[in-house]
Amino acid sequence: MQPLVFIDGDQGTTGLQIHERLRGRTDLRLLTLPEAERKDPARRAEAINACDIAILCLPDAAAREAAALVSNPAVRLIDASSAHRTDPQWVYGFAEMAPGQAERIAQAKRVSNPGCYPTGAVGLLRPLVQAGLLPPDHPLSIHAVSGYSGGGRAQVQAFEAAAPASRPPALQVYGLGLVHKHTPEIQQQAGLTARPAFVPAYGAFRQGIVLTVALHLRLLAPGTTAAALHQALSSHYAGRRHVEVLSPDQAQALLTLDPEALNGTNQLRLAVLGQASPDQVLLAAVFDNLGKGASGAAVQNLDLMLGLDAV
């Protein structure tokens, strides 16, 4: 029988995108509650315990409550919120993050989908830490710009309903107190022992992310070069169809980074920039915050858990 999938919170930005990605598939069934029942705790609990896999597209507190509703031991969960991303009882749902991670996701009962910004940061940093090229206590500053859909459905509606003259500024840097909720996730999943400084921003475009990390080579181990950093990333992601690492020639040819370049896909594009610089490099990630940064990763994890896909 086709597996039954329930999306709890399917009217939010991520839930709607997951629905769209699953639309028309014949290898699974979607369980959807009528509008009048979506906030009924009893009906939600019934739906969660009737499905094979539930995808939680909810605020953090509601996701914790939904997870607590599970009484059927056969039910498996994918949580798209940030509620469980540093919880050791949940498998982190970044399949390409480490050897064997896809297999751990495939066997897991509880999977926590990565955050959008952490997908780029962890994707860049963890392989370099593991390769010994980046000390885990290195002082890091991470800068990222996301489309305004990163703020959720309410922010999307507010931005798109506003008259041009009353729309927010074209760029809004936020998290100025350096206590963004994604920082602990980045630190833990990248294997860092020192908390990075993370500075996010929203741009006047709907979706997409560009994330960068600048490194001073003189502060790294002697002999560390842009070529060595590139090789570490390239080796780590070799054969991974959802992650691409630009070649040095491709990276050198870039004049700008387009945050919307991979919109509508589940791809993550990484690059080591500044190959000609003797003492500095720029690590860069481009991806869709609603794709590999949210719904795309959720569907990828769903397929792994159902045995329908491989990384």
Side-chain angles (χ1 to χ4, degrees):
M1 181 179 292
Q2 297 162 320
L4 184 62
V5 176
F6 171 55
I7 304 172
D8 193 5
D10 60 1
Q11 296 305 299
T13 304
T14 299
L16 288 169
Q17 289 265 330
I18 293 173
H19 253 300
E20 184 64 28
R21 288 172 182 266
L22 297 179
R23 190 187 309 276
R25 284 184 50 166
T26 59
D27 53 352
L28 52 78
R29 296 170 294 148
L30 282 177
L31 173 59
T32 302
L33 291 179
E35 183 175 358
E37 299 178 359
R38 288 175 187 152
K39 295 185 178 181
D40 183 333
R43 284 293 291 120
R44 287 177 56 233
E46 181 182 341
I48 287 175
N49 286 287
C51 71
D52 294 292
I53 296 182
I55 306 176
L56 310 180
C57 300
L58 303 163
D60 289 3
R64 294 187 185 97
E65 293 172 0
L69 293 175
V70 177
S71 58
N72 179 354
V75 172
R76 305 167 77 189
L77 297 179
I78 299 172
D79 183 9
S81 82
S82 61
H84 299 102
R85 291 175 185 159
T86 58
D87 187 331
Q89 297 184 12
W90 288 65
V91 173
Y92 193 59
F94 188 170
E96 299 87 0
M97 179 178 78
Q101 193 70 10
E103 290 74 18
R104 285 187 281 273
I105 293 168
Q107 299 300 318
K109 284 282 193 179
R110 302 288 184 268
V111 172
S112 182
N113 224 46
C116 55
Y117 293 125
T119 296
V122 174
L124 285 168
L125 299 173
R126 183 173 176 128
L128 303 182
V129 172
Q130 289 179 330
L133 296 174
L134 185 66
D137 64 348
H138 191 74
L140 291 167
S141 294
I142 302 166
H143 296 259
V145 181
S146 169
Y148 56 79
S149 59
R153 184 179 179 184
Q155 182 159 304
V156 171
Q157 292 176 335
F159 188 97
E160 295 181 350
S166 61
R167 283 181 177 171
L171 181 70
Q172 299 178 85
V173 179
Y174 67 103
L176 303 183
L178 299 178
V179 289
H180 193 280
K181 70 176 184 177
H182 284 333
T183 305
E185 177 186 351
I186 293 171
Q187 180 178 346
Q188 176 175 304
Q189 302 301 343
L192 303 173
T193 58
R195 185 171 69 91
F198 174 53
V199 184
Y202 286 134
F205 53 95
R206 193 177 196 276
Q207 63 194 83
I209 283 181
V210 60
L211 179 145
T212 58
V213 185
L215 297 176
H216 294 271
L217 296 177
R218 61 182 173 80
L219 300 180
L220 302 180
T224 301
T225 62
L229 297 172
H230 170 268
Q231 183 57 49
L233 290 175
S234 185
S235 297
H236 183 89
Y237 294 111
R240 304 297 195 181
R241 62 191 179 92
H242 293 301
V243 181
E244 60 176 289
V245 180
L246 295 186
S247 71
D249 287 344
Q250 289 173 317
Q252 190 171 359
L254 289 175
L255 299 178
T256 61
L257 292 169
D258 178 4
E260 301 178 274
L262 295 176
N263 281 1
T265 77
N266 189 45
Q267 298 303 110
L268 171 63
R269 179 176 294 158
L270 307 178
V272 179
L273 305 166
Q275 298 279 345
S277 172
D279 56 356
Q280 296 173 330
V281 299
L282 186 67
L283 308 176
V286 173
F287 56 105
D288 185 351
N289 65 296
L290 299 181
K292 187 63 170 169
S295 60
V299 172
Q300 182 182 353
N301 289 329
L302 173 67
D303 286 343
L304 285 168
M305 294 169 76
L306 295 176
L308 301 175
D309 196 8
V311 176

